Amino acid sequence: MEMIPVNEPLFGDRELEFVGECIRTGWISSSGRFIEEFEEQWSAFCGMPHGVAVSNGTTALQVALRCLELEPGDEVIMPTFTIISCALAVVEWGGVPVLVDCDPSTWCMDVSQVEGKITPRTRAIMPVHIYGHPVDMDPLLALADKYNLFVVEDAAEVHGAEYLSGRHGTVTKWKRCGGLGHISTFSFYANKLITTGEGGMVLTARQDHAERARSLRNLCFRRDRRFYHTDLGYNFRMTNLQAAIGLAQMERMGAIISRKRWMGQAYSERLRDIPGLQLPVEEPWARQVYWMYGLVLDESLGMDAREFARRLVDLGVETRPFFLGMHEQPVLLERGLFRGERYPVAERIARQGLYLPSGVALTEDQLDRVCEAVRQVITCR
Ligand SMILES: Cc1ncc(COP(=O)(O)O)c(C=O)c1O
């Protein structure tokens, strides 16, 4: 039986052509025309003035946080339901991640819990758009104004997703995720809508942050004196080879987004009538891209996501579990963080949630087979 993979990237002739150019010309490291073009095109696509390409989405977060020049002990509010990269980028300079639970329908951070977590040490809020659906950004941007905080937007999972800003006021505007906060980050890992294999980007509206990000990704080399350092940076450079792949993929951005939206809607149509399954939503203020098509099993089914995944594998369907909350991570608890804190929504969806095959290369026939398998597992318990 052929296993349907949870993700499979899709490449075309343009990727081969652009990568071929890197090989033919010898521009294979972190200089070359594709890097700058990719930075320009991606930042323009997201509506941000500056883009700084880096080695992955984790390093993008590290660079973004370091651009803000925060002090040890400063607090950053983030969702517990996210990847460890978010917490890592805060604790590495002595910062303190402060958590909120997630919204039970979008699975993004519950923005109504944020103000209650603000203290005199709070410096930033880090919204993380989850599985293709935007966070409700307006309330966060209002809090950021009120308390003078940075908004660091982790847009790794929402390439091309849009948010209707200003819906409580008189002027509304659809804006792309990654163009909403003060500084934002992306991942271009192989399972993302646009991939560079490994890769990431920091976007910012501020020239000084862009310059600092460029310096941090390149070991803080100084322009005036080579090999003389006044700050510690990293080698987080993206290669021209990687940028070549990303730029080639960007030519198909419209088609990729349409395909993903088709996939999400096709899954929902086929799974809607199965009892006990919570499907992804699309709020009226969001255009989501279904990066990964998630499901949450109702506890009344008497089955958790691990058991569900095991049964789906037997039917040839690969899945991935949902995130485990930051407050349940031993490595963070050992540092004295989040002692005794409970986040019931994140805990439940971590136990009961998984995502189905969602790659750009997924065919309609495969999607039908996944839906039949889901139906079989739920109805033949
Ligand atoms: C929300 C979020 N942030 C950051 C990352 C880290 O990206 P990378 O795997 O490129 O380091 C990911 C990875 O998928 C992610 O989902």
Side-chain angles (χ1 to χ4, degrees):
M1 179 181 33
E2 180 224 349
M3 184 70 71
I4 302 175
V6 79
N7 175 70
E8 206 178 341
L10 196 60
F11 297 114
D13 290 343
R14 283 295 262 181
E15 282 88 329
L16 278 176
E17 191 188 312
F18 284 5
V19 169
E21 183 182 317
C22 297
I23 309 267
R24 270 195 316 278
T25 58
W27 292 105
I28 55 165
S29 286
S30 51
S31 302
R33 77 171 180 109
F34 292 120
I35 296 173
E36 278 172 25
E37 282 181 40
F38 187 43
E39 289 176 338
E40 274 164 26
Q41 288 199 19
W42 190 260
S43 53
F45 174 74
C46 298
M48 276 287 222
H50 308 282
V52 181
V54 292
S55 50
N56 56 62
T58 304
T59 58
L61 282 163
Q62 289 175 262
V63 167
L65 264 297
R66 290 268 322 265
C67 282
L68 307 182
E69 318 251 19
L70 306 182
E71 304 281 336
D74 283 350
E75 296 172 2
V76 178
I77 300 176
M78 65 177 67
T80 188
F81 189 74
T82 186
I83 192 162
I84 192 86
S85 313
C86 300
L88 177 157
V90 172
V91 297
E92 74 157 354
W93 46 267
V96 181
V98 172
L99 306 178
V100 295
D101 205 350
C102 45
D103 178 286
S105 59
T106 63
W107 309 322
C108 291
M109 78 196 290
D110 181 344
V111 296
S112 72
Q113 296 183 12
V114 172
E115 190 162 18
K117 294 283 180 134
I118 294 176
T119 74
R121 292 309 302 263
T122 309
R123 295 287 176 272
I125 308 172
M126 186 193 283
V128 183
H129 307 293
I130 296 288
Y131 300 152
H133 195 289
V135 174
D136 190 3
M137 294 293 290
D138 279 351
L140 298 184
L141 292 165
L143 288 176
D145 264 358
K146 183 170 166 191
Y147 293 96
N148 194 24
L149 308 173
F150 288 109
V151 173
V152 183
E153 201 190 341
D154 183 344
E157 305 185 354
V158 283
H159 300 184
E162 290 172 69
Y163 174 74
L164 185 67
S165 78
R167 72 182 189 278
H168 299 298
T170 45
V171 186
T172 58
K173 189 165 188 243
W174 285 98
K175 292 185 182 169
R176 291 234 162 84
C177 290
L180 297 157
H182 299 110
I183 193 161
S184 68
T185 63
F186 284 91
S187 162
F188 302 111
Y189 184 67
N191 61 12
K192 301 302 188 296
L193 271 74
I194 295 291
T195 182
T196 58
E198 295 280 354
M201 203 173 305
V202 177
L203 301 186
T204 170
R206 278 176 53 168
Q207 175 81 24
D208 59 333
H209 283 170
E211 276 168 23
R212 177 135 173 89
R214 284 183 205 289
S215 173
L216 284 165
R217 82 168 164 190
N218 193 26
L219 294 165
C220 291
F221 279 121
R222 295 176 63 99
R223 258 190 236 126
D224 52 345
R225 192 169 162 198
R226 192 83 179 163
F227 300 120
Y228 178 78
H229 296 270
T230 49
D231 201 356
L232 283 178
Y234 318 87
N235 176 356
F236 285 167
R237 301 183 296 253
M238 177 183 271
T239 67
N240 201 42
L241 281 163
Q242 292 168 306
I245 299 173
L247 199 65
Q249 301 226 320
M250 275 207 78
E251 292 181 358
R252 299 195 302 273
M253 192 71 207
I256 291 171
I257 294 172
S258 304
R259 181 74 189 168
K260 294 290 279 189
R261 284 185 59 80
W262 166 82
M263 179 207 75
Q265 285 152 7
Y267 264 135
S268 293
E269 277 162 25
R270 288 159 178 75
L271 299 174
R272 193 165 285 139
D273 65 317
I274 303 179
L277 284 189
Q278 184 195 343
L279 310 180
V281 295
E282 183 174 57
E283 292 289 344
W285 41 263
R287 290 190 189 131
Q288 79 133 307
V289 290
Y290 301 95
W291 169 57
M292 288 294 164
Y293 191 91
L295 292 179
V296 176
L297 303 183
D298 200 288
E299 283 165 321
S300 66
L301 291 173
M303 183 173 21
D304 65 11
R306 204 182 289 186
E307 173 64 19
F308 188 44
R310 258 197 301 272
R311 297 204 201 171
L312 286 173
V313 164
D314 291 343
L315 298 173
V317 175
E318 196 187 33
T319 60
R320 286 281 182 281
F322 269 17
F323 292 127
L324 181 64
M326 293 303 103
H327 70 289
E328 300 196 85
Q329 300 293 345
V331 69
L332 299 175
L333 292 168
E334 277 162 19
R335 301 172 80 104
L337 291 165
F338 322 134
R339 288 244 174 87
E341 294 179 25
R342 302 300 302 269
Y343 299 96
V345 180
E347 287 169 24
R348 177 176 55 80
I349 69 174
R351 240 183 356 258
Q352 298 298 112
L354 52 65
Y355 51 81
L356 299 176
S358 306
V360 190
L362 187 76
T363 65
E364 185 160 11
D365 180 52
Q366 288 176 317
L367 185 142
D368 284 336
R369 282 177 44 212
V370 173
C371 294
E372 277 161 32
V374 169
R375 188 176 296 277
Q376 192 176 328
V377 173
I378 300 284
T379 52
C380 306
R381 272 172 299 132

